[in-house]
Each structure stands twice: as structure tokens, then as C-alpha cells.
Amino acid sequence: MRSRIIAFSLGIGALQMQPALPDWPPLVVLLAAAGLLWLVRQRPTAGRVQSVGCLALSLAGCALLGFAWAVLRAEQRLDDRLEAAWESRDVQIVGVVAALPHVFERGERFEFTVERVDTPGARLPRRIMLSWYRGSLDDEWRDGLKIRPAERWRFTVRLKRPHGNANPYGFDYEAWLFERGLRATGYVRPQAIAERLDDLVPAPAYLIERLRDHFRQSFYEVLGDSPYTGILVALAVGDQQSIPGDQWRLFRQTGVTHLMSISGLHVTMVAALFASLAGWIWRRSERAMLYLPAPKAAVAAGWLAALAYSLLAGFAVPTQRTLYMLSVVALALWSGRNFGVSRSLLLALLLVLLIDPWAVLSPGFWLSFTAVGVLFFVGTPQIGAARGWRAMLASWGSTQWAVTIGTLPLLLLLFQQFSLVSPLANAVAIPLVSLLVAPIALIFVAIPWPPLLHLDHWLVSGLMAFLEWLAVWPIWEQPAPPDLATLLAVVGVIWLLLPRGFPARWLGLCMLLPALSWPAARPAPDEAWVDVLDVGQGLAVVVRTARHTLLYDTGPLYSAESDAGQRIIVPYLRAHGVRAIDTLLVTHRDKDHSGGTMAIEETLPVARRLSSVPELQPERCFAGQEWLWDGVHFAVLHPAAGDYERDAAKTNNMSCVLRIAIAAGSILLTSDIEARDEQALLARARPQLKSDVLLVPHHGSGTSSTPDFVAAVSAREAVIPVGYLNRFQHPRADVVERYATSRVWRTDRDGAVRIRLGAEGPALSSHRSEYRRYWHGQ
């Protein structure tokens, strides 16, 4: 059975790697696989070769069955889509606020279930994500318009298909939305009337969300603006958005991020506490014991507690996975059958993937199953094991070591970093949060006595002080290892965690070394790698030579707590082994080009700063600056030194233009220059403008890309950095037509664009073409 579950899971995973769904009907494959399995089971085996052959056929049938099941579920979800013709158009809808609204700097964001579409001809997905922005003035956002879960509203909205930034080693926002069934995103139109139709829609799921909202408000009423209120809210009702960004950064630095949301550990701990309490109470009644054995009563109470806590947490996908795993264990204990560790874990895996085939897309899925598997692997009872508090302390330490080393390969592959102080931080934080902080927060939910919450906040304050003390230690960062090195590291971890006395366990450490020391790929001398990152409506370009790195602009500022620097650029540089920036060139003041500067400078050392923005206290960029890195020539072409004396100059007119050239080709990076700047360049540096690759000026706006300039550059490749369905309607269609002789790349369509300047000339590729998945653009 175990091998068949693994084969079925591999079939599901194989579908999630496909660029498109197969054309053949899934039902045919389901029937074929079922028939193959039936034949294999019915056929008698005579001989070892025949038995192996039947097993291989059976495993192939299970894998095919898993693949077909995933296809069937994917087709059902893809059918619930927003038609392209209805993107960015006003649509009037009626529906229900389906989950806790999350407050952000400029408004609120919430999930919305569409019950009715009042606009003729429009067909919308059933579940969407909406943002409701505040007006530009404080009095434009009235208390009467605030929303709560379970309310029915009539909105006029503008929607678009799910779309996210597509960068190597970046977060796949489209996969995240797809797994949760959110098939469109958009915003409430501020000019239209928003009307609350019902204060409460009495459906079970909506009532649970209303309760969560009530409990969240009770926490803020007691603690107000206390610094760690958001942590307690997250632990009690699963509202992770309530934790500020600086606290999340502290948790990542110390490796305790998993504890600050309702994770599998918390759900399991609550189930264990309630099971112990129920078993203790049950044993006090002879009648109850005669009616139902205490172990079964404890299992039932623990499972019900886990279900209640999962619902209180919003029944998020990670919480669902934990509940499914506990359900398998509870069923085994209730039935009195010993499924064994591996079989129980694989049955839980099967249940999770049957309900949620897209779980394999989540890093949390891999980390949670890996952590549980490691705990089972090292926690097997041993004959002659010592007892007492010293043995318990030693067991706790070995468990922390096992989980830390067991998840190391995945952390390097998925995040390219891990905290060196994570074992110590978790050794303190896990018992404190799981046994005290989270249970006290839940007790307050049941018994709203304010001193409980003040005590809980005091405990969290002490924990945060401890984590801040640990955070001064460095984080191990490593370029993303190749798949083969990761696989070798997994084998090394298993070898290293074998029982004491197993010969040559030190070989496991040797197998870990490639993943821990894999060198970052760099261009050869006389070559340059230029990556135009997909940051939305903005610009960020990473230029690497054999021994140097230049960052050209830092992307947009998304909100007060989020920017392209921390969300996209820093993870990208870390995954590619960039430890320092030799030159940071911020072309001009606009926030879509300079928004991530602070995050970059706080994270990475910068040797040289070039910019036209005086507030950054840089070295000014001006025409005539040149330098040579590893055989690659860099030259600043704009602005002229005298342009800084013009007070009336627009920020776009001060954009720093950079040309990168080798003997075999060149790239021209133009930022946001406009027509007047293009004319100045034509007059001052026409011979230097000719390039093989052009970063199209000002995102393809109508104020740039004059015909004379386009002809002077005569680029074979044109790259347009632009946001999907942006409000500026960039790029303009007439501007794109001017590049008819060039191959046009767009970051909204192609994702990050990779340019390799080598001896054979420029070679371009895009992330979306290499990492295409069937849900992208759907």
C-alpha cells in the first residue's frame, strides 16, 4: 500500500509541473488506470520476475490515477474563470464578505463570494479577492462603510485575472490564489455606490468568520495599540496580517516564523491538551467508562478540539493539512489498529492530496511533512532508553537538532537561508508559545477576562526580547543548490539521523557539503548577465560580470511596509549568491524606480552609489562617466552635468541612462527618459546609442520612444518593463508599433527577462517561458 500511495502522489505532483493540461479526457484515463489496477490485482504471480512486473504495472497505474485525478480537479477549477473580455470593466455584483477583512495602509482587502452578477453578459468566478481603498481625504472613508464578515453587499468592481510577479526563486502568487480558489482579483470602484444589503447572512462558514471578527476586536479592545497585540490575534484567530513587517523579519532571522501563525504544531498541541484533559475527566466516571473507553473518548475530544481550532483559525490551507493528518491518526487510534508510523504518515499524505492536489505547490506542505517524518524517524522508542528529567532534556535537545538538520536541505532549496540560532530560539519559543501563549489566548476567547490577555502579552514581550538578543547572530545564506545537490543532502540527512551506533554516520555530513557550499554561477570574463526583473509597474535590473554586480533601480514602493527591494530583489540576489552590490544606480526620484532603495541598503553592503536624487546623498550620475569591469564597458549617457542646474527639470528628465557593452553586443538602459531627453541624446551621443538590446523608455508611454530615437538605437530586442493592466495603460499600442523591427519582450507577459551578453552576441529568454504552469494567465 505504501508504494502505491507514493506512486499516486508522484502522479499528482507530475501534473503540477505541466505547462498545460493534457487534451485527453481525464475520465478515460481514470477508467484505464482503474482497469489496469484491477487486472494486476487479479492476475496470479508465479515467479519473482513476474511479481516485479506486476508491481511495476500497479505502480504505474497508481501514478496514472493520481495524474488523472489532478487533471480532473484542475479542469474544474479552471472552468471557474474570469473571461479576458471582462477584465478592467465595471461590473455590478451582489455577494457576501466571506472571510476576515485585512486592513492595510490604504484600505481593506477581503475575500468575496459572488452570489449574483447584475451586469448583463458578465460571467464571473464564484470567489474573488477585492480591495476597497480609502479616498485621498480622511473624511472620504466613513465608519458606516466599514465591512465585516458575513455581510451581503452590492458593489461595482473592476477585476482582472490572477497575476503575480514572475521571477526565478520568487513567490508564485498565481499558484497561491489558484490553490485557494480565488479566481480573480480587483477593487471596489470608489465613484459607484456601495450598498450593504444584509447585516448577517446566516450560513455556517460566514457565522464562523463573524465570530473570528468578534474575537479579533475583543483583543484590540483590551490591548489597544500594544506592540504585540497582532501576535496574539494571529495565534488565536489566524489573522497573520495583523503582525507588522518588522516583527516578521525578526522571526525569519531567528527561525521561529512557523510559530507565529496557527501552524500544525499549535493545532496538534491543542488536540493533545484537550485529549489529555478529556481522558482525565472520563476516567473519573465509571458509567462513562462503561459507555466508551477513556482512550477513545480522549481521541474524540482531541479531534474535535483540533477541528474547532482550525475553524477558529479560518480553516486556512496549512491548517486543513494538519487536521487531515490528525484525522488519520485519530481514526487509527479509534479503531484500535496500529497502522505504523510510515503508513499513518502516507495515509495522511493521501488524504491531503485527494482533497487538495495543489498542496505540493506550497513550501509549508514540504516542510510540515518533512518535520513530522523526521520526528517519527528519530522518536522511535528504543530498548533500554533512560528515564528522568535529564533524559527528557536530552530528548528535547536531540529533537531540536533532528528537525533543524532534517529541514536544512529544503530551506536551502526554497529560501536559500537558515538561521544559525534557530535550534536555541525554537527550544525556548516552542514550549513557551505552544504550552502557554497560545493556550492562554484561546482561554481568553472562551473566557474574556482582561488580566489573561495582559499576562499573555507580558509573556510575548519576554520572548521578543530574547529573540532580539539572538537576532544579532548572522544568518547562513547560500545560493540555491541544484536539484542533485539537494537530493544528495536529503540522503545525507537520513544517514546522519540513523540510530547511534550505526557505522560511519559522519558520511551524512559529507553529503550535506555540496548543498552548503555550492558556488554561485557567474559570467565568464568579457561577458555580462543582465536580468530585467518583473517588479510590476516599475523597474529593477541586475547586471553581473565575472566579479562585480550593479543594480539599476530598485523597483516600486508597494506600501508603507512592502517594497520590491525586500519582496523581490533581495531574495533574487540571495538565491544567486550576491553578497554585496558594487554599484547601486538609482536613476531618478519616482517611487516606481527608487521604492526599494532603503530595503536594499539595509540588507546588502553597497560600495558605490550613483543617482540623480540628492536626498540619497550619492555620487551624481552624468554623461561622460565610464568604467570597465572584467572586460565589460559601462558608460553613463544622460543626464548632462548642466541639467542639474535646471530647477524646472522633471524627475523623468533626470533619469540616468546607462550603456553596457562588450565586443559582441550592447544593451541600452533608458529608465524614464522622455522625448526631449531622447532628442538631447541624439544631438550629444548618437553614435553611442546604437545597441542590440533596448530597455524601452518610460515603460512604453506616449511621451517617449520617438521614431528618430528608435531608429538610432535600431535594437534587435526591445524589453518593456511594465505592470499587468496598469492604470497608466502602458505600453501604448502606437509605441509598440514603432518597434516592429524588434522582437518585443514585456515583463507583464513574459516575467523576468534574462539577457546574456556573450561572445555569440545577446541571448534572451524569459522566466514565464521556462517556468510555464497550466494555471498561469488563467
Side-chain angles (χ1 to χ4, degrees), residues 341 371-380 493-499:
V341 170
V372 172
V374 167
L375 290 175
F376 280 147
F377 186 66
V378 302
T380 304
V493 164
I494 296 173
W495 193 284
L496 194 61
L497 295 179
L498 288 170

Side-chain angles (χ1 to χ4, degrees), residues 30 34 36 156 160 222 243 294 402 440 572 626 636 641:
L30 282 170
L36 179 62
T156 299
K160 62 182 179 181
V222 173
I243 300 179
I440 291 174
Y572 180 85
E626 298 182 64
V636 177

